[in-house]
Amino acid sequence: MAIEIERKFLVDKEQWRAVQPAQGVRIMQGYLLNSIEKTVRVRTKGNQGFITIKGKTEHISRVEYEYEIPVHEAEELLNTFCPKKIDKIRYELVFEGFLWEVDVFTRPNKGLILAEIELSDEHQIFKLPKWVGKEVSDQAKYFNANML
């Protein structure tokens, strides 16, 4: 079983500007199913397409299965079944040996910047970059599926 263990943080916009990479990748995503118990997400990420199934979040962990699909099929699914979509630019940075994914939202919540780090266990220790602010891992309003 695939388990995603993820912590999520708000980003200090001023500090972020100093380290923001020159290029990110555009992500467009929508949800075919969104309930407390499970979500089914469709996403385009650059020129790739994905379908992802996630289980109920328990603390900061949940079951996750992700499969690459042809990008044109992901676009068709988004356009046919997802009237509301999230549009964001994702940047990736490595800090102290950990990959940080930073999402700058353009729709909805234009201007919101969130940073995520995936861990191998819930108690794993890591250092926070100075551009990372308040932790929001347990705040449902910052789950992508709840932003629509």
Side-chain angles (χ1 to χ4, degrees):
M1 181 177 308
I3 302 291
E4 174 189 58
I5 303 168
E6 179 180 83
R7 290 180 64 181
K8 191 176 287 206
F9 300 84
L10 295 175
V11 170
D12 179 300
K13 292 178 185 180
E14 293 301 316
Q15 296 285 335
W16 171 245
R17 284 189 191 105
V19 298
Q20 181 177 342
Q23 289 190 329
V25 63
R26 183 177 184 208
I27 294 176
M28 183 77 69
Q29 67 188 45
Y31 292 84
L32 301 174
L33 174 65
N34 182 16
S35 71
I36 292 173
E37 292 79 26
K38 59 187 162 282
T39 61
V40 179
R41 177 185 74 204
V42 176
R43 168 185 278 179
T44 59
K45 183 178 178 183
N47 61 359
Q48 297 176 289
F50 298 92
I51 190 160
T52 307
I53 303 160
K54 295 186 180 197
K56 182 178 180 180
T57 300
E58 301 285 340
H59 301 102
I60 59 169
S61 301
R62 61 184 161 188
V63 174
E64 177 187 59
Y65 296 94
E66 183 167 75
Y67 305 97
E68 188 166 357
I69 61 174
V71 69
H72 72 275
E73 290 183 13
E75 290 167 344
E76 289 173 6
L77 288 167
L78 283 166
N79 291 330
T80 304
F81 298 107
C82 304
K84 296 180 181 178
K85 298 172 193 69
I86 291 174
D87 192 356
K88 59 189 179 181
I89 304 296
R90 172 163 291 169
Y91 299 90
E92 294 183 349
L93 293 94
V94 175
F95 179 79
E96 297 283 330
F98 287 90
L99 176 66
W100 287 84
E101 295 176 332
V102 179
D103 292 337
V104 178
F105 289 80
T106 55
R107 180 182 65 183
N109 299 314
K110 184 178 176 110
L112 175 66
I113 306 176
L114 291 174
E116 299 175 350
I117 183 172
E118 288 200 22
L119 304 170
S120 57
D121 74 70
E122 288 194 5
H123 304 289
Q124 190 169 6
I125 296 171
F126 58 92
K127 289 185 180 180
L128 295 176
K130 64 182 177 179
W131 41 267
V132 168
K134 178 182 173 188
E135 182 167 6
V136 293
S137 300
D138 61 349
Q139 295 184 35
K141 73 178 186 176
Y142 292 109
F143 298 172
N144 281 244
N146 293 341
M147 291 186 187
L148 299 174

